[in-house]
Amino acid sequence: MLRLGRREFEPHEPVIMAIVNRTPDSFYDQGATFRDEPALARVEQAVAEGAAIIDIGGVKAGPGEEVTAEEEARRTVGFVAEVRRRFPDVIISVDTWRAEVGEAVCEAGADVLNDAWGGVDPGLAEVAARYRVGLVCTHAGGAEPRTRPHRIEYDDVMADILDVTVGLAERAAELGVPRESIMIDPGHDFGKNTRHSLEATRRLDEMAATGWPVLVSLSNKDFVGETLDRPVKERVVGTLATTAVSAWLGAQVYRVHEVAETRQVLDMVAAIAGHRAPAVARRGLA
């Protein structure tokens, strides 16, 4: 059972985490939700389309202008509080690697800390334990935040992913983060080239076999773009194909831009797997 905020999810119940970037330079939407009103409209739309989690980020993942902890908090803390006020039942996640920002957003009402940079600040897990919130434990290949990989190599990329993410998850549980609120993430593109990310996808069942809920952040990423030779705005089909494969191999939580399309993919895979009945079943019965 995965428990996040006020919600509980069965092991085969797919969960959508919608991305809401509070940055002026996000790679996908170029700052479309930097201002409050468009961002709140995005939250409302995502919830209506089936997102259970809203993931709020105040710093672009890739290289760019420096964003201090104070500026990151300014972009996220008040917004978290407003989302909490307007949507009391939604699960609020914040994408941050900094413990001080994690503390501030937890005070404002966050339910999950999404640590996309692999525990670079070990204090973040301590914050999650103190506030009894969820934590995403990600493999980033030892990369520093906001850097791109360069000629990185692994003897066995999935072995490294498992060693790092399970280690981070076990440490978090020992600190006091509720075990049922910890997720592991292979970290597509983070500290990896395209072949590494493809292999991580192909072997996701090994992550699922650990028993920790697996979160994947696939949406419009470079490994999809390079695989199909498509620019950012033309990666939705590749993303959805990767989502279907990930669902079949046991991933549970999906961090996405396109909520409605992802919901259909996950519902279809769940029905094929026998975990969900068809919404309508009239064919051959009339």
Side-chain angles (χ1 to χ4, degrees):
M1 183 74 71
L2 175 63
R3 292 188 176 91
L4 302 171
R6 301 181 181 182
R7 300 284 300 276
E8 294 184 351
F9 304 94
E10 297 293 337
H12 293 295
E13 184 177 358
V15 183
I16 294 178
M17 171 189 275
I19 299 166
V20 179
N21 289 314
R22 304 308 318 283
T23 60
D25 54 355
S26 50
F27 90 99
Y28 185 63
D29 60 23
Q30 300 299 304
T33 53
F34 184 47
R35 291 172 46 247
D36 286 351
E37 287 310 313
L40 288 166
R42 161 68 175 162
V43 173
E44 184 172 13
Q45 178 187 12
V47 171
E49 291 178 346
I53 308 171
I54 300 298
D55 190 51
I56 299 163
V59 184
K60 176 184 176 181
E65 291 186 11
E66 180 186 2
V67 179
T68 65
E70 292 76 16
E71 173 61 17
E72 183 184 0
R74 189 191 68 79
R75 294 176 179 182
T76 56
V77 175
F79 188 71
V80 168
E82 184 61 15
V83 173
R84 178 84 293 147
R85 186 183 73 81
R86 295 196 189 193
F87 305 91
D89 295 325
V90 77
I91 301 162
I92 299 175
S93 168
V94 175
D95 181 352
T96 185
W97 74 87
R98 293 166 164 148
E100 58 195 294
V101 176
E103 180 114 27
V105 296
C106 285
E107 282 288 333
D111 303 300
V112 178
L113 296 176
N114 180 11
D115 182 6
W117 290 101
V120 67
D121 183 347
L124 191 64
E126 296 169 11
V127 172
R130 190 157 59 251
Y131 285 88
R132 304 287 291 175
V133 299
L135 182 68
V136 180
C137 300
T138 307
H139 179 273
E144 288 296 314
R146 308 194 67 195
T147 62
R148 298 193 187 281
H150 179 69
R151 300 191 182 279
I152 192 166
E153 295 182 1
Y154 299 95
D155 292 333
D156 182 330
V157 67
M158 182 50 74
D160 204 81
I161 288 169
L162 291 172
D163 183 60
V164 169
T165 59
V166 171
L168 290 170
E170 292 290 355
R171 174 181 179 265
E174 289 170 5
L175 287 170
V177 180
R179 293 186 72 90
E180 64 274 16
S181 302
I182 298 172
M183 295 155 279
I184 59 174
D185 178 354
H188 288 82
D189 275 359
F190 281 60
K192 300 170 188 67
N193 62 31
T194 289
R195 289 182 176 84
H196 294 143
S197 292
L198 291 171
E199 182 173 352
T201 307
R202 189 162 58 245
R203 297 173 62 185
L204 270 178
D205 56 339
E206 296 176 44
M207 293 193 76
T210 66
W212 296 103
V214 177
L215 180 150
V216 287
S217 183
L218 312 167
S219 198
N220 303 295
K221 283 197 167 177
D222 284 349
F223 83 97
V224 175
E226 287 193 357
T227 298
L228 301 177
D229 193 17
R230 290 290 184 270
V232 170
K233 294 297 184 180
E234 296 178 18
R235 298 175 184 177
V236 175
V237 173
T239 296
L240 295 175
T242 312
T243 298
V245 171
S246 300
W248 190 258
L249 292 176
Q252 185 172 12
V253 184
Y254 302 82
R255 183 178 180 272
V256 305
H257 296 98
E258 286 82 19
V259 175
E261 294 87 342
T262 302
R263 180 80 270 164
Q264 289 188 50
V265 168
L266 296 177
D267 286 350
M268 193 69 201
V269 173
I272 294 169
H275 303 313
R276 175 185 181 275
V280 177
R282 292 187 293 260
R283 182 172 176 81
L285 300 177

